[in-house]
DNA sequence: GGTAAGATCAGC
DNA sequence: CTGATCTTACCT
């Protein structure tokens, strides 16, 4: 059962999610960039930039559930971002889907993103990825391994991943928990958060 | 009941 | 670098 491959720490789960095929609403794509997010203080993978750092609440409850579920949230009041929950049931952890290569339904993705958007930019960036795949806040908590779900994922074997610091986070900014497959123009350019403290701290 | 911060993105 | 826009959490 492929689901068991996600019942591990977020960084390993992130590595296993690269190359996976995510099927959204009439659009499917191969995941080429992800970020790992850990859990609360005192948990196995404390992570100050994770939504679950301060314990369970209304927004992050899905992160504490079983692996293989979809965790969506609204970012900056504008965009929707999608995570795949990892770790065992009861332990918070998730992998943010940052970029993907559209494999089917390009026309639909273009309609959602806007005519004139470059093909390689359709699902570049977590907000754009959700937009292109038609993932919404209402999809929060759905089982990505249930064939009945509106959004599904299939894990594929994959190698050659590289790692670097996460994009946009203001805490634990130097932790190399962003993983991607090199050579894809779909992978977003690295931008450090303007709110992040001086580089090189071990946070 | 008010307010600040934020795992983003596009456009100057 | 900035503004847009909204949800949550945490305070009083």
């Amino acid at each position: 059962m492929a689901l068991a491959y996600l019942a591990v720490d977020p960084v390993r789960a992130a590595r296993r999610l690269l190359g996976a095929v995510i099927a959204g609403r009439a659009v499917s794509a191969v995941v080429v960039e992800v970020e790992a997010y850990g859990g609360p203080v005192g948990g196995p993978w404390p992570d100050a930039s994770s939504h679950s750092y301060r314990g369970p609440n209304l927004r992050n409850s899905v992160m504490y559930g079983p692996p293989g579920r979809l965790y969506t949230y609204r970012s900056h009041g504008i965009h929707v971002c999608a995570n795949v929950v990892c770790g065992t049931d009861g332990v918070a952890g998730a992998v943010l889907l940052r970029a993907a290569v559209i494999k089917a339904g390009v026309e639909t993705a273009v309609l959602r993103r806007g005519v004139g958007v470059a093909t390689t930019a359709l699902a570049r960036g977590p907000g754009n990825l959700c937009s292109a795949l038609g993932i919404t806040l209402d999809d929060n908590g759905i089982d990505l391994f249930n064939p009945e779900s509106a959004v599904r994922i299939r894990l594929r074997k994959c190698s050659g991943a590289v790692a670097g610091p996460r994009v946009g986070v203001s805490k634990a900014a130097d932790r190399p928990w962003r993983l991607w497959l090199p050579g894809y123009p779909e992978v977003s350019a690295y931008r450090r958060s303007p709110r992040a403290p001086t580089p090189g701290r071990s946070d």
Side-chain angles (χ1 to χ4, degrees):
Chain A
M1 179 144 106
L3 208 170
Y5 282 96
L6 298 180
V8 294
D9 71 87
V11 178
R12 270 164 48 130
R15 199 169 284 276
R16 289 171 179 187
L17 279 163
L18 285 174
V21 179
I22 179 157
R25 295 187 166 82
V27 177
S28 65
V30 174
V31 177
V32 293
E33 182 191 359
V34 295
E35 272 175 6
Y37 285 89
V41 208
W45 325 291
D47 177 9
S49 70
S50 172
H51 288 165
S52 54
Y53 191 54
R54 285 150 202 250
N57 57 41
L58 200 59
R59 176 174 65 163
N60 67 23
S61 62
V62 175
M63 286 184 72
Y64 286 81
R69 302 223 295 217
L70 184 67
Y71 166 49
T72 58
Y73 68 92
R74 186 172 299 285
S75 173
H76 290 263
I78 300 181
H79 303 101
V80 176
C81 295
N83 297 251
V84 178
V85 174
C86 65
T88 52
D89 192 5
V91 178
V95 177
L96 174 68
L97 304 179
R98 287 200 57 91
V101 180
I102 310 282
K103 286 298 185 184
V106 184
E107 321 76 27
T108 306
V110 167
L111 288 179
R112 289 183 180 136
R113 293 276 292 113
V115 182
V117 174
T119 309
T120 55
L122 287 173
R124 176 164 60 208
N128 293 336
L129 186 150
C130 284
S131 169
L133 293 186
I135 297 173
T136 73
L137 280 188
D138 291 335
D139 295 320
N140 189 37
I142 66 174
D143 181 0
L144 292 167
F145 288 86
N146 184 340
E148 311 276 304
S149 294
V151 184
R152 285 147 279 121
I153 202 163
R154 279 196 64 175
L155 302 183
R156 310 303 291 268
K157 272 196 185 134
C158 159
S159 60
V162 295
R166 292 178 289 190
V167 171
V169 297
S170 59
K171 297 167 194 141
D174 296 310
R175 194 180 285 197
W177 279 16
R178 168 177 173 244
L179 305 183
W180 68 94
L181 299 177
Y184 287 93
E186 285 82 0
V187 172
S188 44
Y190 172 64
R191 294 181 309 285
R192 186 180 183 86
S193 168
R195 294 175 289 281
T198 320
R201 307 192 345 173
S202 53
D203 257 32

